[in-house]
Amino acid sequence: MGTLTAEDRHFFQSDVNLRQSQRTQRAPQGHIAEAARHTPVHTRCDVLVLGGGPSGVAAAVAAARSGARVVLLERYNHLGGLSTGGLVIWIDRMSDWQGEPVIQGLAAEIMERLGADAVAGPPREAWGSKDPDQAAHWALRTAAFHGVVTHSPTIDPERLKGVYHEMVREAGVDLILHAWMVAPVVEDGRVTGAIFESKQGRRAILAHVVVDTTGEGDLYAAAGAAYDSDIDAREIHHCINTSWLFAGVDMQRWLEFRAHEPEAFAAFMARGRETVGSFEKPLVSWRNDVATFLGPRKAGFSALDVDDMTQVEWESRRSMEDHLAFYRAHAPGFERAWIMLMAPQIGTRHGRRLVGVKRVLRGTWDAGAIEPDEIGISPSPSPRFPNISVPYGALVPETLDGVLAAGKHIACDANSHGFLREIPQCWLTGQAAGTAAALAADHNMLPRNVDLKRLQAALTAQGVPLRQARAAVPA
C-alpha cells in the first residue's frame, strides 16, 4: 500500500512528551576478562518460560495443562508484569467492534476468576453498543472507543497477582521467583536452555523448548535471532513511563465534572499543563476511591538503556508528586488524595520485535485475511478494519531454533505493535506459544515443525476462537 498518513497510523491519541533531558553518554572504560566457569544445572524441563508477565503466565499454564514439565522464571516477587507490577490495570479491548469476545481461552478464565469485586467495566449485554448515552458513559471509564462500548475492564492488580499464582500452582508449574535470565544456552543454532542469576549465584536451566516472554526479546536477541527496533516518536505505543495510583479520591465527582463542565475541564487541563508540564488525566480503577495515572508518556527514551530507564523513573516520581499537589488544590474529588502506590515496574512499551517466519503488517489490516496458521484473533484498532488474524509464524524466529516468542515482542511492524503489545494479546500469544511448546516437546520436534492442525485443535479445545476449518487431527 502507499505511504501511511498520520490518521492511518495513530488510532489512540494522547499527549506524547518529547524528551527534555540530555541522553547520558558514558565514556568507554575498557574491558575486563571473565574467567571460564562451570555453571551448575538448576533443573531440566520440557518447556522453560522466561518472564512471568501476562504472556509468560499464559504460556506456562497452557504448556503445563498440556502435559509438559514447565519451569517459569521471574525476576520480581510476583507474577503479572505490567498487568500487575506496572499498574496497567486497564485491560484493553477483548471484544471486537460488534461486541463479540474474540480474545478468550485463558483470558476469559482469568477474568472469571478475578470475581466481580475486582473488576469494573461494562456488562456483557453492553459490549458492542453504539447507543450515544452508553458510549459517552463508558468512554469516561476507558471502555468505549469510536462510539462503541467494548469489553475493556479495569482490575484489582493485587487480586490479579493472586489469580496468576493460583493458576500456575494448580497447573503444576515449577515457579522460580527472584531470578533473572542473563544468557541463552545455544547448541548448533538451537536454544537448549538459559542461564540465570539470583542470590544463589549463576545457574542453568535446560529445556526442550524455551518460550521468550521477557517483554523485550532478551533471550532471542542474545541468542542471535534477528529483530526490528524502529519506532515512531509521535506514537504513544513507543513511550515509557511509570504509573501510579492515588487513593482517597471521589472519582464519581471527578467524572461528573469532566462530563458536565466541559469549559471548566478544558481550563483545568490547560492550567495543569502550564503548571506541571507533562500533565495527565486520571483513569478509573476497579473502585471509586482509587484513581489510576498511566502517564506521563515519555518519548525519546530506550527500554534497552539502563540510564534512560533510570531517568524515566526519576522524572515519573517527580511528576507524580507535582500531580498530587495540583490535583489536591484544583480537581473536584481529589481534595484528600494521597499517593497509594507508584508502580514497582517501569512501563516499557517497546524494545525489540522479532523477525519471524511471518509478521503482522499494517498493510494487511484492510483485507482482514485469515492466516492459515491462525492461533488467535485480535480486535482491530478501529471499526474501519476487520478483526486481525494472528499467525503462528509471528511467534517463530526466522532461523533460530528451539525457541518461541510471545507477548509484546512478537513479529510485527511498528503500527501493528500498537495493539499486539496489549495485555489481552499477550494472553493470546502466550497461550498459543505454551501449547505449541508442549506439543513440540511431546513429539520431540522443533517448534517450527509443530503440526498446525493439531495446534489449532488444541487451542480450540481450550476455548480460543479460531476461524480456520478443522481437518482431522492426526492420531
Side-chain angles (χ1 to χ4, degrees):
M1 61 181 296
T3 302
L4 300 177
T5 66
E7 183 180 356
D8 288 324
R9 286 192 302 261
H10 304 153
F11 297 95
F12 300 104
Q13 300 298 317
S14 181
D15 290 340
V16 171
N17 305 291
L18 296 178
R19 180 176 186 145
Q20 302 298 318
S21 59
Q22 294 296 315
R23 183 178 298 277
T24 301
Q25 298 290 347
R26 295 185 183 270
Q29 300 293 323
H31 299 83
I32 64 168
E34 293 190 79
R37 67 179 81 191
H38 293 282
T39 301
V41 174
H42 190 75
T43 191
R44 300 171 186 262
C45 59
D46 297 322
V47 177
L48 169 60
V49 181
L50 297 173
S55 58
V57 170
V61 171
R65 288 182 179 179
S66 299
R69 292 173 292 119
V70 180
V71 173
L72 173 59
L73 192 78
E74 166 57 39
R75 63 171 164 160
Y76 291 104
N77 73 341
H78 61 269
L79 296 172
L82 295 185
S83 68
T84 56
L87 296 183
V88 185
I89 61 175
W90 164 49
I91 308 299
D92 202 0
R93 295 160 299 117
M94 291 183 280
S95 59
D96 63 17
W97 298 105
Q98 288 69 50
E100 291 301 313
V102 293
I103 298 183
Q104 296 192 71
L106 287 176
E109 179 182 342
I110 289 166
M111 298 309 299
E112 181 179 352
R113 292 175 71 134
L114 277 170
D117 61 338
V119 180
R124 173 64 182 90
E125 59 270 18
W127 304 348
S129 173
K130 298 179 182 178
D131 176 77
D133 291 336
Q134 283 210 51
H137 173 85
W138 288 110
L140 292 174
R141 294 159 176 82
T142 58
F145 309 92
H146 302 289
V148 182
V149 179
T150 64
H151 181 26
S152 305
T154 54
I155 54 88
D156 178 346
E158 288 302 319
R159 179 60 191 138
L160 183 55
K161 289 177 185 176
V163 168
Y164 284 145
H165 277 274
E166 290 166 3
M167 294 176 70
V168 163
R169 289 298 188 190
E170 290 170 7
V173 173
D174 182 359
L175 175 62
I176 303 174
L177 299 174
H178 302 288
W180 193 341
M181 187 281 297
V182 294
V185 179
V186 184
E187 300 175 7
D188 299 323
R190 175 176 178 173
V191 175
T192 58
I195 296 171
F196 71 92
E197 291 274 7
S198 72
K199 293 288 187 179
Q200 200 170 2
R202 189 176 181 92
R203 290 178 167 243
I205 301 173
L206 302 181
H208 186 87
V209 180
V210 177
V211 182
D212 185 342
T213 53
T214 57
E216 272 73 46
D218 297 342
L219 181 283
Y220 67 64
Y227 60 86
D228 295 317
S229 58
D230 57 301
I231 63 172
D232 182 345
R234 297 165 295 172
E235 174 59 85
I236 67 171
H237 299 298
H238 306 305
C239 294
I240 303 177
N241 60 272
T242 303
S243 304
W244 66 80
L245 302 177
F246 287 165
V249 305
D250 184 343
M251 284 300 289
Q252 188 58 39
R253 277 187 62 209
W254 165 260
L255 293 175
E256 289 173 358
F257 165 69
R258 184 176 169 184
H260 302 305
E261 300 182 50
E263 293 182 0
F265 172 71
F268 169 86
M269 292 299 296
R271 185 175 180 183
R273 292 187 181 98
E274 292 174 1
T275 305
V276 177
S278 300
F279 191 62
E280 289 293 318
K281 301 184 292 290
L283 304 181
V284 299
S285 73
W286 72 102
R287 50 188 292 163
N288 182 60
D289 58 351
V290 175
T292 308
F293 287 81
L294 295 183
R297 297 162 178 86
K298 296 184 174 294
F301 293 88
S302 171
L304 306 176
D305 186 309
V306 68
D307 289 318
D308 270 11
M309 290 192 289
T310 300
Q311 181 67 21
V312 169
E313 295 282 18
W314 156 242
E315 293 186 14
S316 295
R317 182 165 295 279
R318 183 178 59 188
S319 181
M320 176 181 65
E321 293 168 350
D322 291 344
H323 275 73
L324 179 64
F326 188 86
Y327 269 82
R328 289 189 68 168
H330 304 291
F334 281 77
E335 296 83 356
R336 297 184 178 182
W338 51 276
I339 297 172
M340 177 180 174
L341 180 65
M342 186 174 185
Q345 293 183 233
I346 192 171
T348 58
R349 292 173 174 82
H350 180 273
R352 303 180 181 98
R353 305 189 313 277
L354 179 71
V355 173
V357 172
K358 287 187 175 181
R359 292 197 300 166
V360 180
L361 300 172
R362 166 64 183 88
T364 66
W365 296 2
D366 300 82
I370 301 172
E371 297 285 351
D373 58 340
E374 181 177 86
I375 47 83
I377 305 168
S378 172
S380 68
S382 163
R384 292 166 47 191
F385 307 106
N387 290 330
I388 308 295
S389 185
V390 182
Y392 179 61
L395 316 185
V396 182
E398 191 173 45
T399 57
L400 184 66
D401 279 320
V403 63
L404 291 169
K408 62 190 179 76
H409 54 225
I410 67 168
C412 60
D413 62 11
N415 300 129
S416 301
H417 178 265
F419 60 89
L420 287 174
R421 69 173 179 83
E422 298 288 357
I423 290 163
Q425 285 79 359
C426 288
W427 286 331
L428 180 160
T429 56
Q431 183 168 2
T435 303
L439 285 172
D442 186 49
H443 291 83
N444 194 28
M445 62 175 57
L446 297 174
R448 70 177 68 253
N449 296 331
V450 164
D451 184 275
L452 290 173
K453 292 301 181 184
R454 189 185 295 275
L455 173 59
Q456 290 169 332
L459 291 171
T460 301
Q462 296 169 18
V464 175
L466 296 176
R467 297 171 295 186
Q468 282 296 341
R470 300 293 175 267
V473 179

